[in-house]
Amino acid sequence: MDEENKEKGKVVVTEYRNFPGRKRIQEQARQDEIRARAEAEAQRQELIAQIRQYDKVMDYLVWVIAAIILNRYTIGIAREQLVRTLCPEQYEGCPPLKDTWCMRLFSNLLLLYSLSFFYCLAYQNNEANPSCSAQRASWGGLLVLVSTFLAFTNIITERMQGDTGNIEAIEDPEL
C-alpha cells in the first residue's frame, strides 16, 4: 500500500513517535503556547488599565458637572441680586442673599482639579502616541487649564480688593 502511494506521488506518513524532529516540534509548540498566553495576559492587563482609566475619567466628569451645577446656583443668586437692585421696594424686609464668593471659589477649584487631570491625560497620550491630534489635544487642555487658573486668580483678586460681586454695593450716580 505504501508503494502505491509513493507511485502516485503521495507522502507516506510514518508513525509520529518515530519522527526524528518530534521533540523539537513539541518544544516549539510549548513555547508558542507560552508566548500566546503571555500576550493574552498582557492584552488583558492593558484592557484592565484602560477600564480603570475610564473609571477615573467618569469620576472627574462628575466633578466637572458638580462645578457647573454650583456655578449655575451662583448665577441664580447673582440674578436675584440684580432683580432686587432693579426693584428694591418689592424686596424690603427680605433676608440678604448669600455671598457667592466661596461658592465660586470652590467651583473653580473643582474645575482646576478636574481639568488638571484631563490635561495630564492628554499629555500622557501625546507622549505615548505623538500624533498631530494628540499634540492639539495636549495644547488645548493646557490652554483650558490656564484660562481656568486665570479665572480662579480673578476670583481671589476680587476678594482681596474688596469686590464681592454684590450688586447692591454698587451705587449708580444717576439714581
Side-chain angles (χ1 to χ4, degrees), residues 148-169:
T148 305
F149 181 74
L150 291 174
F152 175 73
T153 58
N154 187 33
I155 291 171
I156 293 174
T157 305
E158 284 177 5
R159 187 58 159 209
M160 290 173 67
Q161 292 174 350
D163 181 14
T164 61
N166 188 351
I167 198 72
E168 293 171 352

PDB file of all heavy atoms in Angstrom, residues 148-169:
ATOM      1  N   THR A 148      -8.773  78.568  33.131  1.00  0.00           N
ATOM      2  CA  THR A 148      -9.462  78.300  34.392  1.00  0.00           C
ATOM      3  C   THR A 148      -8.647  78.815  35.564  1.00  0.00           C
ATOM      4  O   THR A 148      -9.204  79.365  36.525  1.00  0.00           O
ATOM      5  CB  THR A 148      -9.718  76.787  34.545  1.00  0.00           C
ATOM      6  OG1 THR A 148     -10.438  76.319  33.402  1.00  0.00           O
ATOM      7  CG2 THR A 148     -10.532  76.485  35.779  1.00  0.00           C
ATOM      8  N   PHE A 149      -7.340  78.664  35.483  1.00  0.00           N
ATOM      9  CA  PHE A 149      -6.484  79.194  36.545  1.00  0.00           C
ATOM     10  C   PHE A 149      -6.585  80.717  36.607  1.00  0.00           C
ATOM     11  O   PHE A 149      -6.615  81.303  37.697  1.00  0.00           O
ATOM     12  CB  PHE A 149      -5.036  78.757  36.332  1.00  0.00           C
ATOM     13  CG  PHE A 149      -4.116  79.242  37.406  1.00  0.00           C
ATOM     14  CD1 PHE A 149      -4.130  78.664  38.663  1.00  0.00           C
ATOM     15  CD2 PHE A 149      -3.239  80.288  37.173  1.00  0.00           C
ATOM     16  CE1 PHE A 149      -3.300  79.108  39.667  1.00  0.00           C
ATOM     17  CE2 PHE A 149      -2.396  80.750  38.165  1.00  0.00           C
ATOM     18  CZ  PHE A 149      -2.427  80.154  39.417  1.00  0.00           C
ATOM     19  N   LEU A 150      -6.640  81.372  35.461  1.00  0.00           N
ATOM     20  CA  LEU A 150      -6.791  82.833  35.443  1.00  0.00           C
ATOM     21  C   LEU A 150      -8.128  83.258  36.049  1.00  0.00           C
ATOM     22  O   LEU A 150      -8.198  84.254  36.778  1.00  0.00           O
ATOM     23  CB  LEU A 150      -6.633  83.372  34.023  1.00  0.00           C
ATOM     24  CG  LEU A 150      -5.229  83.281  33.441  1.00  0.00           C
ATOM     25  CD1 LEU A 150      -5.228  83.711  31.986  1.00  0.00           C
ATOM     26  CD2 LEU A 150      -4.242  84.076  34.263  1.00  0.00           C
ATOM     27  N   ALA A 151      -9.192  82.515  35.761  1.00  0.00           N
ATOM     28  CA  ALA A 151     -10.487  82.818  36.370  1.00  0.00           C
ATOM     29  C   ALA A 151     -10.417  82.628  37.888  1.00  0.00           C
ATOM     30  O   ALA A 151     -10.990  83.418  38.647  1.00  0.00           O
ATOM     31  CB  ALA A 151     -11.575  81.933  35.770  1.00  0.00           C
ATOM     32  N   PHE A 152      -9.717  81.598  38.309  1.00  0.00           N
ATOM     33  CA  PHE A 152      -9.546  81.343  39.735  1.00  0.00           C
ATOM     34  C   PHE A 152      -8.794  82.495  40.404  1.00  0.00           C
ATOM     35  O   PHE A 152      -9.192  82.978  41.463  1.00  0.00           O
ATOM     36  CB  PHE A 152      -8.794  80.013  39.919  1.00  0.00           C
ATOM     37  CG  PHE A 152      -8.452  79.684  41.333  1.00  0.00           C
ATOM     38  CD1 PHE A 152      -9.438  79.282  42.219  1.00  0.00           C
ATOM     39  CD2 PHE A 152      -7.146  79.774  41.785  1.00  0.00           C
ATOM     40  CE1 PHE A 152      -9.121  78.964  43.528  1.00  0.00           C
ATOM     41  CE2 PHE A 152      -6.823  79.465  43.089  1.00  0.00           C
ATOM     42  CZ  PHE A 152      -7.821  79.058  43.961  1.00  0.00           C
ATOM     43  N   THR A 153      -7.710  82.933  39.781  1.00  0.00           N
ATOM     44  CA  THR A 153      -6.959  84.052  40.362  1.00  0.00           C
ATOM     45  C   THR A 153      -7.774  85.341  40.339  1.00  0.00           C
ATOM     46  O   THR A 153      -7.627  86.181  41.225  1.00  0.00           O
ATOM     47  CB  THR A 153      -5.619  84.268  39.636  1.00  0.00           C
ATOM     48  OG1 THR A 153      -5.869  84.498  38.247  1.00  0.00           O
ATOM     49  CG2 THR A 153      -4.695  83.087  39.832  1.00  0.00           C
ATOM     50  N   ASN A 154      -8.651  85.486  39.346  1.00  0.00           N
ATOM     51  CA  ASN A 154      -9.524  86.650  39.286  1.00  0.00           C
ATOM     52  C   ASN A 154     -10.483  86.672  40.478  1.00  0.00           C
ATOM     53  O   ASN A 154     -10.730  87.723  41.080  1.00  0.00           O
ATOM     54  CB  ASN A 154     -10.290  86.664  37.969  1.00  0.00           C
ATOM     55  CG  ASN A 154     -11.085  87.921  37.771  1.00  0.00           C
ATOM     56  OD1 ASN A 154     -10.680  88.985  38.216  1.00  0.00           O
ATOM     57  ND2 ASN A 154     -12.205  87.802  37.098  1.00  0.00           N
ATOM     58  N   ILE A 155     -10.995  85.529  40.843  1.00  0.00           N
ATOM     59  CA  ILE A 155     -11.901  85.447  41.991  1.00  0.00           C
ATOM     60  C   ILE A 155     -11.158  85.825  43.276  1.00  0.00           C
ATOM     61  O   ILE A 155     -11.675  86.571  44.113  1.00  0.00           O
ATOM     62  CB  ILE A 155     -12.499  84.028  42.098  1.00  0.00           C
ATOM     63  CG1 ILE A 155     -13.457  83.777  40.937  1.00  0.00           C
ATOM     64  CG2 ILE A 155     -13.221  83.823  43.415  1.00  0.00           C
ATOM     65  CD1 ILE A 155     -13.932  82.352  40.837  1.00  0.00           C
ATOM     66  N   ILE A 156      -9.948  85.334  43.429  1.00  0.00           N
ATOM     67  CA  ILE A 156      -9.163  85.661  44.625  1.00  0.00           C
ATOM     68  C   ILE A 156      -8.821  87.149  44.644  1.00  0.00           C
ATOM     69  O   ILE A 156      -8.913  87.806  45.690  1.00  0.00           O
ATOM     70  CB  ILE A 156      -7.889  84.795  44.681  1.00  0.00           C
ATOM     71  CG1 ILE A 156      -8.286  83.343  44.913  1.00  0.00           C
ATOM     72  CG2 ILE A 156      -6.948  85.268  45.769  1.00  0.00           C
ATOM     73  CD1 ILE A 156      -7.154  82.369  44.859  1.00  0.00           C
ATOM     74  N   THR A 157      -8.457  87.686  43.492  1.00  0.00           N
ATOM     75  CA  THR A 157      -8.116  89.107  43.415  1.00  0.00           C
ATOM     76  C   THR A 157      -9.319  89.979  43.759  1.00  0.00           C
ATOM     77  O   THR A 157      -9.178  91.003  44.448  1.00  0.00           O
ATOM     78  CB  THR A 157      -7.604  89.447  42.002  1.00  0.00           C
ATOM     79  OG1 THR A 157      -6.519  88.579  41.686  1.00  0.00           O
ATOM     80  CG2 THR A 157      -7.144  90.886  41.909  1.00  0.00           C
ATOM     81  N   GLU A 158     -10.502  89.588  43.295  1.00  0.00           N
ATOM     82  CA  GLU A 158     -11.723  90.337  43.625  1.00  0.00           C
ATOM     83  C   GLU A 158     -11.905  90.414  45.138  1.00  0.00           C
ATOM     84  O   GLU A 158     -12.237  91.456  45.685  1.00  0.00           O
ATOM     85  CB  GLU A 158     -12.957  89.670  43.013  1.00  0.00           C
ATOM     86  CG  GLU A 158     -13.142  89.883  41.556  1.00  0.00           C
ATOM     87  CD  GLU A 158     -14.347  89.121  41.028  1.00  0.00           C
ATOM     88  OE1 GLU A 158     -15.085  88.499  41.840  1.00  0.00           O
ATOM     89  OE2 GLU A 158     -14.559  89.137  39.814  1.00  0.00           O
ATOM     90  N   ARG A 159     -11.707  89.308  45.791  1.00  0.00           N
ATOM     91  CA  ARG A 159     -11.908  89.256  47.234  1.00  0.00           C
ATOM     92  C   ARG A 159     -10.861  90.108  47.966  1.00  0.00           C
ATOM     93  O   ARG A 159     -11.187  90.795  48.926  1.00  0.00           O
ATOM     94  CB  ARG A 159     -11.844  87.807  47.715  1.00  0.00           C
ATOM     95  CG  ARG A 159     -12.195  87.621  49.145  1.00  0.00           C
ATOM     96  CD  ARG A 159     -13.598  88.132  49.427  1.00  0.00           C
ATOM     97  NE  ARG A 159     -14.111  87.534  50.625  1.00  0.00           N
ATOM     98  CZ  ARG A 159     -15.378  87.320  50.849  1.00  0.00           C
ATOM     99  NH1 ARG A 159     -16.262  87.666  49.963  1.00  0.00           N
ATOM    100  NH2 ARG A 159     -15.760  86.769  51.955  1.00  0.00           N
ATOM    101  N   MET A 160      -9.648  90.054  47.481  1.00  0.00           N
ATOM    102  CA  MET A 160      -8.594  90.828  48.123  1.00  0.00           C
ATOM    103  C   MET A 160      -8.817  92.336  47.945  1.00  0.00           C
ATOM    104  O   MET A 160      -8.467  93.124  48.815  1.00  0.00           O
ATOM    105  CB  MET A 160      -7.227  90.432  47.554  1.00  0.00           C
ATOM    106  CG  MET A 160      -6.802  89.043  47.977  1.00  0.00           C
ATOM    107  SD  MET A 160      -5.307  88.477  47.167  1.00  0.00           S
ATOM    108  CE  MET A 160      -4.112  89.579  47.863  1.00  0.00           C
ATOM    109  N   GLN A 161      -9.438  92.717  46.819  1.00  0.00           N
ATOM    110  CA  GLN A 161      -9.696  94.125  46.568  1.00  0.00           C
ATOM    111  C   GLN A 161     -11.014  94.582  47.181  1.00  0.00           C
ATOM    112  O   GLN A 161     -11.370  95.739  47.078  1.00  0.00           O
ATOM    113  CB  GLN A 161      -9.695  94.400  45.069  1.00  0.00           C
ATOM    114  CG  GLN A 161      -8.334  94.233  44.446  1.00  0.00           C
ATOM    115  CD  GLN A 161      -8.370  94.363  42.946  1.00  0.00           C
ATOM    116  OE1 GLN A 161      -9.424  94.402  42.326  1.00  0.00           O
ATOM    117  NE2 GLN A 161      -7.186  94.418  42.345  1.00  0.00           N
ATOM    118  N   GLY A 162     -11.753  93.671  47.765  1.00  0.00           N
ATOM    119  CA  GLY A 162     -13.000  94.027  48.431  1.00  0.00           C
ATOM    120  C   GLY A 162     -14.222  93.954  47.548  1.00  0.00           C
ATOM    121  O   GLY A 162     -15.324  94.227  47.993  1.00  0.00           O
ATOM    122  N   ASP A 163     -14.079  93.560  46.290  1.00  0.00           N
ATOM    123  CA  ASP A 163     -15.227  93.439  45.398  1.00  0.00           C
ATOM    124  C   ASP A 163     -15.792  92.030  45.542  1.00  0.00           C
ATOM    125  O   ASP A 163     -15.227  91.075  45.045  1.00  0.00           O
ATOM    126  CB  ASP A 163     -14.798  93.687  43.952  1.00  0.00           C
ATOM    127  CG  ASP A 163     -15.974  93.595  42.986  1.00  0.00           C
ATOM    128  OD1 ASP A 163     -17.121  93.612  43.447  1.00  0.00           O
ATOM    129  OD2 ASP A 163     -15.711  93.504  41.774  1.00  0.00           O
ATOM    130  N   THR A 164     -16.918  91.916  46.233  1.00  0.00           N
ATOM    131  CA  THR A 164     -17.507  90.598  46.474  1.00  0.00           C
ATOM    132  C   THR A 164     -18.500  90.213  45.402  1.00  0.00           C
ATOM    133  O   THR A 164     -19.089  89.147  45.452  1.00  0.00           O
ATOM    134  CB  THR A 164     -18.224  90.564  47.843  1.00  0.00           C
ATOM    135  OG1 THR A 164     -19.274  91.535  47.814  1.00  0.00           O
ATOM    136  CG2 THR A 164     -17.249  90.836  48.958  1.00  0.00           C
ATOM    137  N   GLY A 165     -18.717  91.079  44.451  1.00  0.00           N
ATOM    138  CA  GLY A 165     -19.689  90.765  43.419  1.00  0.00           C
ATOM    139  C   GLY A 165     -21.099  91.069  43.851  1.00  0.00           C
ATOM    140  O   GLY A 165     -22.055  90.735  43.173  1.00  0.00           O
ATOM    141  N   ASN A 166     -21.252  91.729  44.992  1.00  0.00           N
ATOM    142  CA  ASN A 166     -22.573  92.073  45.491  1.00  0.00           C
ATOM    143  C   ASN A 166     -23.064  93.312  44.735  1.00  0.00           C
ATOM    144  O   ASN A 166     -22.536  94.389  44.895  1.00  0.00           O
ATOM    145  CB  ASN A 166     -22.522  92.325  47.001  1.00  0.00           C
ATOM    146  CG  ASN A 166     -23.896  92.489  47.583  1.00  0.00           C
ATOM    147  OD1 ASN A 166     -24.888  92.577  46.859  1.00  0.00           O
ATOM    148  ND2 ASN A 166     -23.956  92.513  48.904  1.00  0.00           N
ATOM    149  N   ILE A 167     -24.074  93.128  43.928  1.00  0.00           N
ATOM    150  CA  ILE A 167     -24.572  94.210  43.086  1.00  0.00           C
ATOM    151  C   ILE A 167     -25.205  95.330  43.907  1.00  0.00           C
ATOM    152  O   ILE A 167     -25.258  96.469  43.471  1.00  0.00           O
ATOM    153  CB  ILE A 167     -25.555  93.641  42.028  1.00  0.00           C
ATOM    154  CG1 ILE A 167     -25.744  94.627  40.869  1.00  0.00           C
ATOM    155  CG2 ILE A 167     -26.886  93.332  42.639  1.00  0.00           C
ATOM    156  CD1 ILE A 167     -24.562  94.734  39.981  1.00  0.00           C
ATOM    157  N   GLU A 168     -25.662  95.008  45.110  1.00  0.00           N
ATOM    158  CA  GLU A 168     -26.287  96.017  45.940  1.00  0.00           C
ATOM    159  C   GLU A 168     -25.274  97.029  46.450  1.00  0.00           C
ATOM    160  O   GLU A 168     -25.615  98.139  46.824  1.00  0.00           O
ATOM    161  CB  GLU A 168     -27.011  95.350  47.114  1.00  0.00           C
ATOM    162  CG  GLU A 168     -28.198  94.523  46.664  1.00  0.00           C
ATOM    163  CD  GLU A 168     -28.791  93.694  47.791  1.00  0.00           C
ATOM    164  OE1 GLU A 168     -28.205  93.642  48.887  1.00  0.00           O
ATOM    165  OE2 GLU A 168     -29.844  93.100  47.560  1.00  0.00           O
ATOM    166  N   ALA A 169     -23.984  96.685  46.458  1.00  0.00           N
ATOM    167  CA  ALA A 169     -22.952  97.578  46.949  1.00  0.00           C
ATOM    168  C   ALA A 169     -22.593  98.655  45.918  1.00  0.00           C
ATOM    169  O   ALA A 169     -21.953  99.632  46.242  1.00  0.00           O
ATOM    170  CB  ALA A 169     -21.702  96.795  47.319  1.00  0.00           C
TER     171      ALA A 169
END
